Amino acid sequence: MQKKITIAIDGYSSCGKSTLAKSLAKKINYIFIDSGAMYRGVTLYCMRNQLIENGTPSTEKIINLLNEINLSFEYNTKTDKADLFLNNENVEELIRMPDVAANVSKIATIKEVRQRLVEEQQKMGVNGGIIMDGRDIGSVVFPAAELKLFVTASNEIRAQRRFDELIDKGVQTTFQEVYDNLVQRDELDSNRIESPLIQTSDAIVIDTSHLTREEQLNLAYHLYQKAID
Ligand code: CDP
């Protein structure tokens, strides 16, 4: 039987990490975990429980309530991807909405939130055969991953892709709103004290700006083959 490795995919907001991770996982029959969904799930919980006041998270209260937040994934055969469940409720659609996107990077700065989610993510990966995407996967969650990819694309292209995705879902938003959110999140994610988004020295960069989804997949598959050899 072929060895099952760990693949870490990191990068800026809306750069196509999840799309690439999902298609590669399907091709090589690996588990795919979107770690950003977990930060979005915690954010939705905080929003529902008035734990974010005037855009500022009530950190102490959030830390005290962390044990009340139960996150799990369940595979959805329609989307070929796992849906996120928050306390047994399917919140997959809700966590993708712009109001959650507007708050998530602030919640993701809280050390205790990160510790808790990183612990859960590491448990999911104990047996290998996993592709996880996020911001700190190659640096903190799986520093020993056999293959690390760092995905990038220009701001305009990333914003356009996310805008198209939201419009397709019928969400009311503007290109500018999406663009501004993306820039703000990149800024917060890259400059936070607790496990900021970094490109580790052993990560291979994939710029998806001018690559089709198929080209991205072929490239990632080739890198996977090299990694297992
Ligand atoms: O899909 P998109 O690239 O826009 O974002 P995401 O992967 O859903 O992540 C949402 C937010 O969660 C990010 O902007 C980060 O603030 C946070 N996040 C994180 O801090 N660490 C991770 N491993 C994944 C996400």
Side-chain angles (χ1 to χ4, degrees):
M1 222 177 82
Q2 204 158 48
K3 186 182 174 229
K4 294 243 178 197
I5 62 167
T6 298
I7 303 177
I9 305 187
D10 289 300
Y12 296 104
S13 330
S14 323
C15 61
K17 300 178 301 288
S18 293
T19 308
L20 176 62
K22 176 179 134 176
S23 54
L24 181 62
K26 190 169 182 201
K27 191 171 169 87
I28 64 178
N29 202 17
Y30 271 32
I31 295 166
F32 159 50
I33 300 290
D34 168 3
S35 70
M38 300 171 75
Y39 289 92
R40 288 172 180 267
V42 173
T43 304
L44 181 64
Y45 178 90
C46 294
M47 289 164 64
R48 283 177 165 177
N49 291 280
Q50 288 80 47
L51 299 170
I52 304 175
E53 283 168 58
N54 301 323
T56 306
S58 308
T59 306
E60 283 298 306
K61 286 187 197 161
I62 295 171
I63 296 168
N64 287 333
L65 284 168
L66 272 181
N67 284 337
E68 304 294 316
I69 307 176
N70 179 36
L71 300 173
S72 57
F73 286 104
E74 216 170 279
Y75 196 73
N76 180 335
T77 46
K78 283 197 197 120
T79 56
D80 258 339
K81 182 179 179 291
D83 285 348
L84 184 82
F85 282 69
L86 168 61
N87 295 337
N88 297 319
E89 175 194 349
N90 187 331
V91 292
E92 184 57 34
E93 281 200 11
L94 288 174
I95 59 165
R96 308 290 162 194
M97 293 298 138
D99 55 345
V100 173
N103 286 305
V104 63
S105 290
K106 286 177 249 167
I107 297 297
T109 61
I110 304 172
K111 185 169 103 194
E112 288 78 0
V113 169
R114 304 202 69 82
Q115 281 170 341
R116 161 76 195 283
L117 297 189
V118 167
E119 199 179 298
E120 289 184 23
Q121 290 154 6
Q122 288 174 333
K123 275 191 204 144
M124 294 174 192
V126 279
N127 297 321
I130 190 167
I131 305 180
M132 192 174 288
D133 84 307
R135 304 293 186 285
D136 58 345
I137 310 305
S139 56
V140 175
V141 182
F142 300 130
E146 289 88 346
L147 177 60
K148 296 182 187 177
L149 303 178
F150 190 88
V151 184
T152 64
S154 74
N155 286 4
E156 284 69 24
I157 288 177
R158 292 190 285 128
Q160 188 65 49
R161 285 181 186 154
R162 181 54 51 91
F163 176 67
D164 292 344
E165 222 172 82
L166 290 167
I167 294 298
D168 257 8
K169 285 187 192 164
V171 176
Q172 293 269 349
T173 187
T174 60
F175 174 82
Q176 197 57 44
E177 188 185 8
V178 173
Y179 186 95
D180 292 345
N181 173 256
L182 185 142
V183 172
Q184 265 168 22
R185 280 199 289 137
D186 286 351
E187 167 83 16
L188 269 172
D189 294 345
S190 306
N191 296 308
R192 67 181 175 223
I193 295 165
E194 207 56 43
S195 31
L197 167 64
I198 50 157
Q199 182 193 323
T200 58
S201 58
D202 52 354
I204 300 165
V205 178
I206 298 185
D207 186 340
T208 66
S209 300
H210 305 292
L211 294 178
T212 64
R213 285 182 179 194
E214 201 189 348
E215 287 166 340
Q216 292 170 37
L217 174 61
N218 288 342
L219 180 55
Y221 182 66
H222 167 75
L223 295 170
Y224 153 77
Q225 282 186 312
K226 263 177 74 177
I228 53 168
D229 275 348

